[in-house]
Amino acid sequence: MANFENLAQSVISGREGQVKEQVQALVDSGASPLAIISEGLIAGMNIVGASFKKGDMFVPEVLRSAKAMSAGIEMVKPLIADKDMPSLGTVVIGAVQGDLHDIGKNLVTMMLEGGGFKVIDLGIDISSEKFIVAVKEHNAKIVAMAALLTTTMPAMKETIDLLAKEGLRDKVKVIIGGAPITEDFANQIGADGYAPDAAVAVDLCKEWVA
Ligand code: B1M
């Protein structure tokens, strides 16, 4: 029988087909779409985040869980008015200008969505100007930048400087990450935070909106 706990468990196991069946059964039984998301899909993903942080789950498993969770969310989304979708706020994310690596960024995106954020994923090779336009357009609370190359790290500072120039710096928090990024570098360029992995990124963003 489908219940929220079983659904959360299927997300944790990354069983997309099972997630879809259970979501459908819950919808058919009259369960609230919002409860399906928060008590089933997101609840499962929160456990995945915690296990990943402890080193009990690894990147491929997390990606599988995130994909299963997203498939479930896509099924219930049409049943919920946009304004009622649970959201902790909007995060604008992208790989900075010159950087084409997106596996880690995609993982962070999925984990943030699983954590209850609305995420605008701008993609790769994103200029400072594009980040600014997106922050304004989506009234974002958080800007999340990823860089995997030492040569693209300076683009993070350029975006932070442009946020300040546009009078937006006090309105958004900036989180940065990616393999070559360190806490020291984040401090040096004036970011609000750094996360070594996707689970810590979600925790930090949640702290900021609490
Ligand atoms: Co590239 N590459 N690559 N590459 N690549 C690295 C990064 C490199 C370290 C490999 C090496 O030489 N050992 C090296 C960089 C060296 C340096 O700058 N010091 C490198 C290079 C040199 C290059 C090219 C220049 C190669 C060339 O063409 N000569 C070129 C550059 C392209 C460009 O970006 N302009 C290039 C190209 C590519 C591919 C296209 C082939 C491919 C990318 C495919 C894709 O992303 N769709 C690729 C890959 C796959 C890698 C490696 C092997 C793996 C990266 C990865 O996806 N890791 C990488 C070597 C390595 O890192 N071991 C390498 C898995 C991923 C889950 O980890 O992204 O670190 P990661 O994400 C982590 C954390 O960092 C964190 O969370 C994740 C875990 O939870 N995190 C964040 C990531 N983003 C975050 C954002 C946050 C918070 C946390 O908040 C916003």
Side-chain angles (χ1 to χ4, degrees):
M1 200 186 82
N3 61 35
F4 296 131
E5 230 167 85
N6 289 344
L7 178 57
Q9 193 51 54
S10 299
V11 169
I12 297 165
S13 316
R15 297 207 174 96
E16 187 174 332
Q18 212 163 292
V19 165
K20 285 180 172 169
E21 279 170 24
Q22 288 169 340
V23 166
Q24 192 56 56
L26 283 165
V27 169
D28 293 344
S29 73
S32 130
L34 288 176
I36 296 175
I37 292 182
S38 57
E39 292 171 42
L41 299 166
I42 292 183
M45 207 54 206
N46 282 341
I47 294 172
V48 171
S51 305
F52 179 56
K53 209 159 141 190
K54 277 198 282 173
D56 293 341
M57 281 180 89
F58 301 98
V59 170
E61 296 162 290
V62 176
L63 287 173
R64 230 180 2 254
S65 291
K67 195 163 164 274
M69 175 211 65
S70 301
I73 289 189
E74 285 313 308
M75 286 175 72
V76 282
K77 237 187 196 168
L79 309 175
I80 303 170
D82 237 15
K83 65 174 177 46
D84 293 332
M85 275 297 280
S87 173
L88 295 176
T90 301
V91 181
V92 162
I93 193 168
V96 296
Q97 188 152 38
D99 212 307
L100 307 179
H101 296 85
D102 68 356
I103 298 168
K105 170 192 70 65
N106 293 346
L107 185 58
V108 174
T109 298
M110 289 192 275
M111 297 279 284
L112 283 170
E113 284 173 344
F117 287 91
K118 177 174 181 190
V119 184
I120 308 294
D121 184 357
L122 301 176
I124 52 175
D125 191 17
I126 302 304
S127 66
S128 304
E129 290 77 15
K130 280 191 186 157
F131 275 109
I132 305 301
V133 169
V135 166
K136 288 181 183 165
E137 184 183 340
H138 300 284
N139 196 18
K141 284 188 181 173
I142 298 171
V143 174
M145 290 184 279
L148 263 281
L149 299 172
T150 45
T151 49
T152 57
M153 288 165 61
M156 294 176 150
K157 181 169 183 328
E158 284 165 25
T159 302
I160 292 174
D161 290 348
L162 193 56
L163 281 168
K165 201 171 157 207
E166 294 283 325
L168 293 167
R169 188 62 192 92
D170 295 339
K171 298 192 173 74
V172 292
K173 291 280 191 188
V174 176
I175 179 171
I176 63 171
I181 308 298
T182 60
E183 187 94 55
D184 271 358
F185 178 72
N187 291 334
Q188 250 177 55
I189 66 168
D192 296 296
Y194 147 77
D197 63 45
V200 175
V202 176
D203 288 348
L204 195 55
C205 290
K206 279 187 175 172
E207 261 175 45
W208 286 340
V209 298

